[in-house]
Amino acid sequence: MSDLLRVTPSGLYCEAGGFYIDPWRPVERAVVTHAHSDHARPGSKRYLCSSACAPFVRLRCGEESAISCLEFGERRTINGVTLSLHPAGHILGSAQVRVEHQGEVWVVTGDYKTEPDPTVEPFELVRCHTLITECTFGLPVYRWPEARTEFERINAWWAANQSAGRTSVLMGYSLGKAQRLLAGVDAGLGPIFAHGAVLGPTQAYRDQGIRLPPVRPVSEAPLDVDWPRALVVAPPGAEATPWMRRFRESATAFASGWMAVRGIKRRRGVERGFVISDHVDWPALMEVVSATGASRVLTTHGYSAVVAKHLSERGLDSAPLETQFRGEAEEEGA
Amino acid sequence: MKRFVHLFEALDGTTATKEKVALLRAYFEEAEPEDAAWAVWLLSGNKPKGSANRTRLAAWASEEAGIAGWLFDECRSAVGDFAETIALLLPKPAGTRESGSLAESAAKIESLAVLDETGQREVVLSAWRGMDGAERLVFNKLVTGAFRVGVSRDLVVRGLSEALGVARDELAHRLMGDWRPTAEFFSSLTDGASTPLDRPYPFCLAHPIAGDPAELGAIEGWQAEWKWDGIRAQVIRRNGTTAIWSRGEELVTDRYPEIEQASRLLPEGCVLDGELLPWGEGGPMPFNQLQRRIGRKTVGAKLLAEIPVVLMAYDLLESDGQDCRPLSLSERRDRLAAVVNEAGHPFLLSPTVEAGSWEELGALQRSALGRGAEGLMLKRLDSPYGVGRRKGAWWKWKLQPRSVDAVLMYALRGSGSRASLFTDYAFGVWKGHELVTIAKAYSGLTNAEIREVDAFVRANTLEKIGPARTVPPELVFEIGFEGIQKSTRHKSGYAVRFPRILRWRRDKRPEDADTLETVASLFEPLE
């Protein structure tokens, strides 16, 4: 029997159901796990995603995109294949895709994390026969500290910058990470501003009822603004642009899982790093793999070959899957 | 341990000198004396006396993490740093834990020297289990001998001086020579008690002269001497015994028996500063002759006869048991002349070079090579003997400087008959607290030295990158070259032409190696 899902030149394909999951080329029918650029690409005829994800897919793929939505847990049968979406905990609306055909269950995790995060629906464990899991941080050196302690460190950094007279510029991916940062910092410390790229997704989070502190656009800051008191949330890459000049003296920091490794921090020339990741770390990855009960595990993103080899040694049927997902590329530092 | 780890992280996180001094001060004010003593010891570039080998550490860590050896290697190549890889890999400590003090951790590491593999494993595992990630990183760096922080010894002394309220020069002196990090030692830093009899003074170091020497003012105010190419040393005669210290603060008395013997003729309570030189019938012998004696702990009669050594004395730091460094150079010189003339060979008085004008002196400077010297030293006649490398009183006026002191960064196997040995090296200079490569060289060492470096590389490999093996920054070599060019091939931005190893600078610590700024300053005069 051929595989229920397989990699084709256009992306991960379900032949029996006639749909793709996060295709990297335009297709007839695309099921989208979440709206990061390596998963949601413009040009497909029809999109299917979670209701919470839809506004972000519109932002990414165009207002006029034909999107139909599924609630989490809701089942839809396409050509005899039953499809449902389950929270992945990566960003708001991010989903794992469960595909069932003739009693065989596959789950595609998309990007996911199991850690609690007030800005997303909590990760749901879905049992399956075959699991396709991401491995962005699939090395045992990645073990996240508690987000709470990292946020304490961020607050302390912000406060220290305030006394040193430096504007705190905190970098994180504009969709997902930025909102998680906004929700996690102590907004009582001072005013919060955001780079333009962060504002759209932030409004979309608010529209869905996620509570976030007041955020003002940097571009609309009054002339006499006291920058050193402020926290500025910006996407990675902003630190090397003229945009930064307005803050004069600034302290920059990155929030990313990659910041767990000093060498990566140094290679990126990061002044300060906070280990806040929207992906699973090694222990969580191992836990999820085993709790799904899957006997076959296909791996994508990042350290897929390493994880597959490790799981094979543990007696699972495991192999890397050649995809074009990048997760969070180290060089992006997102 | 916690406090020291915070200090390590904070020092790592700033490049501002003032901030570093403030951090050091705060640490020394708060830390327990024994911990503080260890911190001084470690931050000055010393290592604990024990260590565990990397293969074993990797195996124990993999076991703790429940992973296979190949996966450890994957992790290590992703992380880049051995000590950090282990710190990140280990499962989080369970429940309540007690990491203990820095002194306790150091004692554990020192205990490894006398334990077998089982004993070592027990010590290391129990240490790991009691520590969080940041503590493990520092512990692992200590246990592998790879601990480094971006502070110079001078900065440590400054922070300590502010914390203890003891003058910097005095502290620098109290930190000289052989000492062990104990609570008693740390207290003695404040009151100056328990001075060891053989303690040397901090060496006064010269700056390379950048512009025209005439800018130093009237030549009458200056004393010129030949700049000798030997080993800087202090000969200390106190209480009827002699100690010879190299500039790397190594006690080398046994290696120069002819000097030790003759020092009996020195007056009691006397300290000479000078250069150990190989000296034949006609004067100084090439430095590479001296190299044959440097590496040996004891010297045989044959070598002693072949390569006799003298002390070319150029300063007197103590006479009649009194510290005479505050005296002016001219006064010290008079007393030095009397002492050296009385003692006679192998103590020689470094001759002054007399000239009526800077032009005349320049002409003499250019003749240095023919006299077995590498240039001139200029010393202000009215200056006291300073501590360390302070600008103003001592200058070195070398013949066109065509060498840098660089640190061995990685090694490759040679070819042909040397294919089994690591004989090809890459060297770096300091850019901040990072090394950047400046040259690759494969010739210039003796066969014995090559074997020694080879053994060092094998025992200390940090990482295998293709055919290259990276090593911790420990060995310093003087690299000669024909010129300097800008280059994109080397991370330093410069490349030297026709590099070769002039000598192994065993007398220098890695932090004494040259900086990128020095290299950059050499760039222009040569083009």
Side-chain angles (χ1 to χ4, degrees):
Chain A
M1 194 182 82
S2 71
D3 282 344
L4 187 51
L5 293 170
R6 62 189 166 87
V7 175
T8 69
S10 294
L12 193 55
Y13 183 52
C14 177
E15 193 169 354
F19 59 84
Y20 288 82
I21 297 173
D22 293 347
W24 42 84
R25 286 190 196 161
V27 298
E28 275 296 311
R29 191 195 285 259
V31 177
V32 172
T33 60
H34 67 290
H36 278 149
S37 60
D38 55 329
H39 291 262
R41 298 174 199 242
S44 286
K45 282 244 174 67
R46 283 181 295 165
Y47 293 92
L48 179 69
C49 64
S50 76
S51 312
C53 180
F56 306 112
V57 174
R58 269 194 203 96
L59 281 173
R60 174 84 58 203
C61 304
E63 275 304 318
E64 65 294 341
S65 306
I67 301 174
S68 58
C69 296
L70 274 181
E71 294 307 316
F72 283 125
E74 185 189 344
R75 294 185 167 211
R76 178 163 304 178
T77 305
I78 307 170
N79 302 334
V81 174
T82 306
L83 183 146
S84 57
L85 302 177
H86 305 267
H90 175 59
I91 62 174
L92 185 60
S94 66
Q96 307 172 73
V97 182
R98 181 183 184 277
V99 180
E100 182 174 354
H101 184 58
Q102 296 172 350
E104 194 190 345
V105 179
W106 286 52
V107 166
V108 180
T109 63
D111 291 348
Y112 69 108
K113 73 167 179 290
T114 57
E115 258 188 304
D117 169 356
T119 63
V120 303
E121 308 84 354
F123 174 87
E124 182 190 329
L125 185 82
V126 185
R127 290 185 60 84
C128 57
H129 301 107
T130 300
L131 178 72
I132 299 181
T133 179
E134 64 130 327
C135 307
T136 307
F137 293 103
L139 280 182
V141 287
Y142 293 107
R143 294 168 192 269
W144 308 144
E146 265 185 78
R148 187 178 48 81
T149 63
E150 286 302 284
F151 277 113
E152 280 166 13
R153 291 179 62 223
I154 293 178
N155 292 333
W157 166 78
W158 182 6
N161 293 334
Q162 287 178 330
S163 7
R166 303 194 300 173
T167 314
S168 303
V169 181
L170 181 58
M171 317 272 174
Y173 199 64
S174 53
L175 169 57
K177 183 66 61 67
Q179 291 71 38
R180 187 176 178 201
L181 294 174
L182 289 171
V185 296
D186 179 0
L189 285 174
I192 303 178
F193 288 86
H195 184 278
V198 172
L199 296 167
T202 301
Q203 189 52 48
Y205 265 58
R206 283 213 177 88
D207 293 344
Q208 300 201 41
I210 304 298
R211 289 190 45 167
L212 297 173
V215 178
R216 286 183 272 171
V218 165
S219 55
E220 289 167 28
L223 283 174
D224 61 345
V225 65
D226 182 9
W227 281 123
R229 277 197 67 232
L231 175 73
V232 179
V233 177
E239 86 274 24
T241 66
W243 180 83
M244 285 289 290
R245 280 192 209 134
R246 69 192 77 207
F247 310 123
R248 291 206 184 84
E249 288 280 295
S250 62
T252 55
F254 265 88
S256 162
W258 297 114
M259 296 298 110
V261 174
R262 288 153 47 97
I264 295 175
K265 251 188 282 186
R266 206 167 300 145
R267 284 200 284 281
R268 284 225 27 153
V270 173
E271 201 180 302
R272 188 73 196 265
F274 298 107
V275 187
I276 294 197
S277 173
D278 289 329
H279 295 265
V280 272
D281 63 0
W282 174 268
L285 173 60
M286 290 302 128
E287 204 179 302
V288 167
V289 163
S290 112
T292 57
S295 56
R296 185 171 176 211
V297 181
L298 303 175
T299 56
T300 68
H301 298 62
Y303 294 100
S304 51
V306 171
V307 173
K309 185 172 172 189
H310 178 77
L311 294 176
S312 301
E313 287 182 354
R314 308 265 137 155
L316 290 174
D317 175 8
S318 185
L321 209 55
E322 285 304 319
T323 65
Q324 292 181 16
F325 306 130
R326 291 166 305 153
E328 269 181 81
E330 178 187 320
E331 56 275 16
E332 285 180 322
Chain B
M1 190 73 175
K2 254 220 150 70
R3 195 173 273 152
F4 184 69
V5 168
H6 283 310
L7 174 67
F8 168 79
E9 288 179 330
L11 289 173
D12 202 41
T14 177
T15 50
T17 302
K18 260 175 83 177
E19 214 171 307
K20 287 187 178 182
V21 172
L23 289 165
L24 289 162
R25 174 195 180 143
Y27 176 83
F28 289 126
E29 278 172 351
E30 289 165 14
E32 296 295 324
E34 196 181 8
D35 278 8
W38 269 104
V40 176
W41 172 267
L42 296 169
L43 294 172
S44 312
N46 297 302
K47 292 177 177 161
K49 301 253 176 271
S51 65
N53 107 16
R54 284 164 189 263
T55 316
R56 286 179 187 173
L57 288 167
W60 301 333
S62 304
E63 220 175 281
E64 284 285 282
I67 61 166
W70 66 266
L71 188 45
F72 180 91
D73 294 338
E74 289 283 349
C75 290
R76 180 168 145 175
S77 71
V79 172
D81 179 276
F82 183 84
E84 187 182 358
T85 304
I86 293 184
L88 291 169
L89 262 179
L90 296 169
K92 287 180 186 160
T96 53
R97 50 182 199 85
E98 195 40 72
S99 61
S101 67
L102 172 62
E104 282 163 358
S105 291
K108 280 181 195 166
I109 293 169
E110 297 220 314
S111 77
L112 300 176
V114 296
L115 290 171
D116 62 3
E117 185 171 348
T118 321
Q120 288 189 344
R121 181 174 180 276
E122 209 167 295
V123 168
V124 170
L125 288 189
S126 86
W128 280 344
R129 286 173 187 152
M131 294 175 174
D132 67 18
E135 292 168 323
R136 284 166 178 170
L137 175 67
V138 170
F139 179 82
N140 293 343
K141 287 201 173 269
L142 291 173
V143 96
T144 52
F147 182 79
R148 290 194 63 77
V149 194
V151 289
S152 64
R153 196 151 167 195
D154 189 46
L155 278 192
V156 177
V157 171
R158 276 171 65 180
L160 198 52
S161 157
E162 288 186 16
L164 301 181
V166 176
R168 270 157 69 177
D169 289 357
E170 183 53 37
L171 260 183
H173 185 199
R174 289 175 189 173
L175 287 167
M176 291 292 288
D178 249 343
W179 53 273
R180 290 291 297 157
T182 59
E184 296 71 42
F185 173 77
F186 194 74
S187 327
S188 79
L189 286 177
T190 312
D191 54 27
S194 79
T195 305
L197 212 51
D198 64 355
R199 177 185 284 169
Y201 291 97
F203 286 87
C204 176
L205 304 175
H207 270 273
I209 202 155
D212 181 358
E215 286 166 21
L216 295 176
I219 196 166
E220 290 72 29
W222 293 85
Q223 169 176 307
E225 294 166 63
W226 298 113
K227 185 179 183 328
W228 300 105
D229 190 11
I231 290 175
R232 181 85 181 268
Q234 265 177 56
V235 174
I236 296 170
R237 183 73 185 169
R238 290 181 192 131
N239 248 22
T241 59
T242 299
I244 305 174
W245 289 92
S246 78
R247 138 129 164 68
E249 281 174 58
E250 210 184 339
L251 192 58
V252 293
T253 319
D254 298 343
R255 299 187 200 177
Y256 303 98
E258 62 267 71
I259 306 289
E260 193 199 2
Q261 290 250 309
S263 67
R264 291 173 194 169
L265 298 173
L266 291 174
E268 178 59 29
C270 157
V271 176
L272 299 177
D273 180 13
E275 201 90 0
L276 292 164
L277 289 177
W279 198 269
E281 298 282 314
M285 291 156 57
F287 184 84
N288 57 22
Q289 293 297 314
L290 185 57
Q291 264 173 316
R292 293 171 56 199
R293 283 186 57 170
I294 291 176
R296 311 198 176 210
K297 293 265 184 227
T298 55
V299 190
K302 186 162 167 278
L303 208 52
L304 265 178
E306 259 178 64
I307 311 160
V309 165
V310 299
L311 181 81
M312 183 64 84
Y314 40 68
D315 220 317
L316 184 72
L317 312 187
E318 186 176 306
S319 73
D320 295 331
Q322 296 294 312
D323 180 357
C324 54
R325 295 176 300 159
L327 301 177
S328 70
L329 171 61
S330 39
E331 261 182 90
R332 298 198 309 274
R333 173 85 190 179
D334 288 345
R335 296 193 188 191
L336 174 71
V339 169
V340 171
N341 290 335
E342 182 68 32
H345 197 91
F347 295 99
L348 308 185
L349 180 64
S350 168
T352 55
V353 181
E354 305 298 337
S357 69
W358 288 111
E359 290 74 37
E360 207 183 309
L361 192 60
L364 286 162
Q365 188 255 4
R366 287 188 288 279
S367 76
L369 217 52
R371 299 167 196 264
E374 47 179 5
L376 288 176
M377 291 295 302
L378 302 174
K379 300 174 181 173
R380 225 177 59 223
L381 279 164
D382 62 0
S383 66
Y385 185 92
V387 168
R389 205 181 293 278
R390 307 266 167 85
K391 268 203 170 127
W394 283 29
W395 298 94
K396 49 186 172 192
W397 186 11
K398 280 203 194 182
L399 293 171
Q400 268 198 350
R402 294 206 165 180
S403 71
V404 289
D405 291 334
V407 183
L408 177 65
M409 294 174 69
Y410 59 88
L412 292 110
R413 284 176 198 279
S415 47
S417 64
R418 295 158 132 199
S420 63
L421 292 168
F422 286 92
T423 58
D424 297 8
Y425 314 119
F427 299 96
V429 292
W430 295 107
K431 181 185 180 185
H433 42 97
E434 230 184 322
L435 282 172
V436 288
T437 54
I438 180 78
K440 288 183 181 154
Y442 57 89
S443 65
L445 294 182
T446 64
N447 284 336
E449 286 173 328
I450 288 173
R451 278 194 298 277
E452 212 178 320
V453 176
D454 177 74
F456 170 83
V457 171
R458 284 169 202 276
N460 292 281
T461 299
L462 296 176
E463 211 177 339
K464 295 174 190 170
I465 304 173
R469 296 213 184 177
T470 61
V471 293
E474 283 185 24
L475 309 186
V476 181
F477 296 84
E478 187 177 339
I479 310 298
F481 50 84
E482 299 300 322
I484 296 188
Q485 296 167 318
K486 298 253 186 202
S487 158
T488 49
R489 194 163 49 94
H490 287 291
K491 216 178 161 190
S492 61
Y494 293 93
V496 297
R497 292 192 308 138
F498 304 119
R500 64 207 177 276
I501 303 168
L502 295 183
R503 67 177 88 157
W504 187 346
R505 295 299 305 248
R506 293 176 199 261
D507 57 329
K508 294 214 168 186
R509 297 164 179 247
E511 53 268 34
D512 297 328
D514 280 312
T515 62
L516 190 54
E517 292 87 73
T518 316
V519 172
S521 76
L522 294 179
F523 169 64
E524 283 193 310
L526 293 175
E527 296 305 302

